Every structure is written in C-alpha cells, then in structure tokens.
Amino acid sequence: MTDVIRIAIRCDADIVLVRQQARLLARELGFSGSDLTLIATALSELARNIVEYARQGEIVLSQIRQGRQLGITIVARDHGPGIADIERAMQDGYSTGKGLGLGLPGAKRLMDEFEITSAEGQGTTIKATKWVR
Amino acid sequence: MSTPILKQGHYLIASLQPEQSDTDLLQLQDILVEQVGRFRSRGLILDVTLLDVMDSFATRTLRNIAQAVSLRGAETVIVGIRPEIAFAMVQLGLDARLSGVRTALDLEEALAILNRRCQEGMCRD
C-alpha cells in the first residue's frame, strides 16, 4: 500500500490531480463513498487556496494509524504570504480573495481534525485528518 | 475537457464531466451564456450527475451561470446532485449559495419545471 503521496500544486489542473490521488488512497484505506467525496472536497478547497494565495506549494497525503484506527492525513504547505488573522480566516464568508470565504472553515467541517499554522510572509501549513468510520 | 451541450427544442442541456478544472468550468460558463442567446433558448439544464466534487468554486460558477443566463432571458435548472455531493455541500455551507437556483432530481422533473415556467409566460417567446 502506498504510504506517502507528494504532489506539487502550481495550477488548477493540480487541484484535479490531487483529488484523484486522494480518492485512490482513501479507497485503499477503506473509506466509504460519501467520505471519499468529503475528503476530495476538502482537498479541493485547500489546493485552490494554495494556487490562489501562494501560487505554489505542495500537498502530502499519507495514511495514519492510531491503535486500531486507520485514517488519512492531508498536509497542505506553501511559502506564500501567510494568513494575518487565522481566527478571521476561519469564519464563514470571510475572504481576502475571490472565493466565497468557505474554503478553510468548510474544509475543517469536512475533516475530523484540522490544524493550521501560519506566519505572515513565511507561508501556511494546514494539517487535516479523517478517520475511517 | 469539453462539455457536451445538447439542444432540445427551446432548451439547452449541458452534461458536466467529472474532473473538470476551474479553467474548464469558466470556459463552459462563457459558452453557455453565449449559446443561450444564439439559440434563443428559454431554459438551460445543467446536469451534474457525473461531477465528482462540487466545491466552492464549482458552486459559485454554476450560480454565476444561472444568474447570467437569467439576465439573458432564460431559466436554469440544476439536475442530478448526488446524495454524497449534497451532503458535502451542506457541510461546506454551499447549499445556501445556490438558494436562488432551481434544482431538480432528474431530467424529467427539470423539463417539467421549465415547461411550467414557459406556460406561465415567464420565458420569452
């Protein structure tokens, strides 16, 4: 089984690619059809944020095991402008870009665990996990 | 990836393909808004049965298409939002973003909605 998949994100075609790869890995791990869609949707939002705000970055997909539980972890990393106010960025409807302002808070709702670290001028790293139910 | 667009009487039917990029969707938006005028269509049916994901970009683009098409004098109905996609959209908070756009379960229902609208004189002749 594939352990770690690393995908460079530079343009909107990469958003489609990362969704496909995540579906394959998540299916291998035993996720249900509706969870596959939730994971692919969350990834789509995270990858688009990279393209829109940082222009380039990477997404790393990996399987995670905790006791008998299996899951998928997504790490989305960029060296873009960073997020000045994370609390505000996590509010529905707030956006400094062209989006609907649902990307980050939406992705958080779709996943089980969600962690964001960001420094202005240095970039953003988001780590999100979903467990097989 | 190009989207098949069928002309059925006064209506256009676009079947969105899986794994569309943002660029594909924006191209489709331009084509549909143009074609509604060219064919003097009264209605547009957007079939999303095959879409693997309806994220915030796809939702916003479909809403923009519906609004632009409405300004061109035609009505839009979105059909075929699958259960898991509907669930993901609700979780994301996207359902409210489509609140102004008609949705139907299948093509038959979408055609019935458009026919009814046209009988009521809501569409141009």
Side-chain angles (χ1 to χ4, degrees):
Chain A
M1 192 182 282
T2 331
D3 282 344
V4 178
I5 301 167
R6 194 177 290 269
I7 297 162
I9 305 293
R10 295 188 202 90
C11 63
D12 67 342
D14 296 330
I15 303 176
V16 178
L17 179 71
V18 79
R19 284 204 304 249
Q20 290 167 338
Q21 294 291 320
R23 265 181 195 276
L24 291 175
L25 175 60
R27 191 171 287 131
E28 270 183 50
L29 295 173
F31 279 98
S32 68
S34 58
D35 277 349
L36 292 181
T37 300
L38 297 185
I39 293 165
T41 310
L43 256 179
S44 201
E45 301 294 341
L46 296 179
R48 184 172 297 100
N49 270 358
I50 292 179
V51 176
E52 190 172 329
Y53 294 102
R55 302 189 85 100
Q56 57 175 309
E58 66 166 0
I59 286 184
V60 182
L61 307 168
S62 49
Q63 59 165 306
I64 178 172
R65 190 182 286 276
Q66 205 170 75
R68 296 169 71 184
Q69 242 191 337
L70 205 57
I72 186 170
T73 293
I74 299 167
V75 176
R77 189 182 292 124
D78 68 61
H79 298 288
I83 301 169
D85 189 342
I86 291 181
E87 213 171 295
R88 228 173 141 194
M90 290 307 293
Q91 286 172 9
D92 276 347
Y94 177 77
S95 173
T96 57
K98 336 185 261 291
L100 293 170
L102 292 170
L104 285 181
K108 183 179 178 181
R109 281 196 289 273
L110 298 176
M111 302 294 288
D112 292 327
E113 286 164 32
F114 194 90
E115 217 177 271
I116 178 166
T117 48
S118 187
E120 254 188 292
Q122 286 172 50
T124 302
T125 301
I126 291 165
K127 188 178 168 194
T129 298
K130 194 155 188 79
W131 300 103
V132 179
R133 280 183 290 193
Chain B
M1 188 179 299
S2 70
T3 302
I5 301 170
L6 307 176
K7 187 173 170 298
Q8 159 70 39
H10 294 299
Y11 308 138
L12 291 180
I13 303 170
S15 300
L16 277 76
Q17 299 300 296
E19 288 152 10
Q20 299 231 24
S21 72
D22 295 1
T23 310
D24 294 334
L25 281 172
L26 289 177
Q27 271 168 7
L28 177 67
Q29 167 180 299
D30 293 346
I31 291 168
L32 286 174
V33 175
E34 189 270 326
Q35 289 205 354
V36 157
R38 190 188 332 153
F39 296 115
R40 303 192 71 78
S41 302
R42 294 170 180 173
L44 168 65
I45 295 174
L46 295 172
D47 175 16
V48 299
T49 316
L50 294 178
L51 281 194
D52 54 335
V53 154
M54 282 266 280
D55 58 11
S56 61
F57 187 87
T59 303
R60 188 184 51 180
T61 308
L62 295 191
R63 185 192 62 192
N64 288 351
I65 292 172
Q67 289 175 345
V69 158
S70 160
L71 290 172
R72 307 267 282 157
E75 179 90 3
T76 299
V77 183
I78 295 176
V79 306
I81 297 181
R82 294 205 309 253
E84 67 270 25
I85 302 265
F87 186 58
M89 288 177 73
V90 170
Q91 297 250 76
L92 258 180
L94 289 173
D95 50 318
R97 307 299 168 129
L98 271 184
S99 58
V101 185
R102 290 300 304 258
T103 53
L105 201 53
D106 53 31
L107 194 56
E108 197 175 354
E109 196 180 308
L111 287 167
I113 289 170
L114 290 176
N115 288 337
R116 206 159 47 233
R117 300 277 297 181
C118 285
Q119 276 161 13
E120 285 164 1
M122 307 291 284
C123 302
R124 65 159 173 258
D125 287 319

